[in-house]
Amino acid sequence: MARQIRIAQISDLHIKPSGTLAYGRVDTAKALERCIAALNAFVPAPDFVVISGDLADAPSVEEYDHLRLLLAPLKLPFAGIPGNHDSREMMRAAFPNAAYAFPSGPLNQKIEIGALDLLLLDSSVPGKPHGELDAPTLQWLDATLGSSGGRPALVFQHHPPFVTGIWHMDRQNLHNAAELAAILQRHPRVQLIATGHVHRATLTMFAGRPCTICPVANHAVDLDLDQLREPSFKVEPPAFHLHTWFAGEGYGSLVTHQVPIGSFDGPHPFFGPDGKLL
Ligand SMILES: [Fe+2]
């Protein structure tokens, strides 16, 4: 089998202080526990886990303390990016050993996993729900992508740079998507732009590359494509994304699997010992 690198993506954890439900209804801590159990049990093990924003909910130091406790059983290396529910300063304090590109401000990171570069971009705008990549982040992205042209790269950020059709989320997506697209056009090595924020699995093309939104382990944003209801959430089947890169010609190839979280019947063999279909 071709060499393979597996990057799990989980998103929008919305961890509250211990014992508190999100929106008075959703046990986000329990959802993360189940998600971590699924990640730990997945064979073959993912090489890395990216958490694409909204790690906390309010945010508060208490929430990040609770988050670190909940993440302790995760056996895989991981890194987080801020979302609109996060605080850069609190996240930096909670995870001080991460490889942040800047000593202050946006929490961008470049992480090398074998032949693959992961570029984690901080699209959060302090105090606002929408996303924007600031000038230093865009310059850093352009320079970093230009520094080693032969390696495939995956870009992760919280805010999607596209319209989903869910009206109340679309007005708080990445507001300067055109500036990101202009940079990506110069760098064919980017194979995927993977985002969060909308709490449901979504796929489109952006700047000629696949662009995804990661499903969640807790509550999905209601799939309301015609402004029929007030902004709402719905507890749907929990899942995470597994971005699987295969070595090959050029930049290799990338396939994203959606992995349901939970206990399910199987796996059962299709064939008996005689090789015949059961
Ligand atoms: Fe979120």
Side-chain angles (χ1 to χ4, degrees):
M1 183 185 277
R3 276 177 297 124
Q4 192 187 107
I5 298 175
R6 293 170 296 276
I7 309 297
Q9 181 188 4
I10 65 175
S11 201
D12 292 83
L13 313 182
H14 289 267
I15 296 304
K16 306 286 289 179
S18 183
T20 310
L21 301 179
Y23 312 104
R25 280 181 189 276
V26 185
D27 191 340
T28 53
K30 185 63 75 187
L32 179 56
E33 281 173 8
R34 284 194 289 257
C35 180
I36 287 173
L39 289 168
N40 285 340
F42 196 89
V43 180
D47 296 282
F48 198 79
V49 181
V50 175
I51 312 174
S52 49
D54 287 358
L55 281 65
D57 191 57
S60 68
V61 172
E62 202 181 352
E63 289 184 354
Y64 286 103
D65 286 347
H66 189 204
L67 169 69
R68 285 195 308 168
L69 266 180
L70 292 164
L71 285 171
L74 179 59
K75 294 176 185 157
L76 308 169
F78 69 91
I81 326 170
N84 49 298
H85 285 257
D86 288 304
S87 151
R88 287 172 172 169
E89 292 71 29
M90 288 181 200
M91 253 187 83
R92 195 183 278 274
F95 303 102
N97 298 322
Y100 302 120
F102 304 157
S104 63
L107 303 186
N108 305 310
Q109 297 186 60
K110 177 191 171 193
I111 296 164
E112 296 182 11
I113 307 290
L116 209 53
D117 285 347
L118 309 184
L119 297 171
L120 277 48
L121 305 182
D122 182 349
S123 62
S124 69
V125 180
K128 304 277 189 203
H130 75 274
E132 193 165 332
L133 298 167
D134 66 10
T137 295
L138 290 166
Q139 285 159 14
W140 175 81
L141 175 65
D142 200 17
T144 305
L145 285 171
S147 67
S148 50
R151 290 168 60 83
L154 312 184
V155 168
F156 291 85
Q157 64 186 33
H158 182 65
H159 294 85
F162 63 91
V163 166
T164 63
I166 303 174
W167 61 280
H168 60 99
M169 297 307 290
D170 289 340
R171 65 186 182 196
Q172 50 175 277
N173 67 2
L174 186 79
H175 281 190
N176 61 341
E179 290 184 80
L180 173 62
I183 291 173
L184 296 177
Q185 302 291 5
R186 293 197 281 277
H187 301 286
R189 75 184 183 106
V190 175
Q191 301 299 293
L192 171 75
I193 301 94
T195 71
H197 192 46
V198 186
H199 293 223
R200 54 185 318 115
T202 305
L203 168 67
T204 191
M205 296 290 282
F206 178 75
R209 262 49 69 91
C211 184
T212 55
I213 299 174
C214 188
V216 293
N218 43 39
H219 52 289
V221 171
D222 178 31
L223 185 57
D224 176 0
L225 297 175
D226 201 19
Q227 210 163 327
L228 300 170
R229 296 173 285 278
E230 290 302 302
S232 308
F233 66 86
K234 199 168 172 184
V235 177
E236 296 185 1
F240 64 88
H241 267 170
L242 189 65
H243 306 296
T244 307
W245 178 82
F246 301 91
E249 290 293 306
Y251 293 109
S253 65
L254 188 83
V255 173
T256 295
H257 295 277
Q258 178 163 319
V259 185
I261 297 168
S263 299
F264 307 100
D265 189 24
H268 303 295
F270 286 114
F271 304 99
D274 55 0
K276 292 201 173 121
L277 266 176
L278 288 168

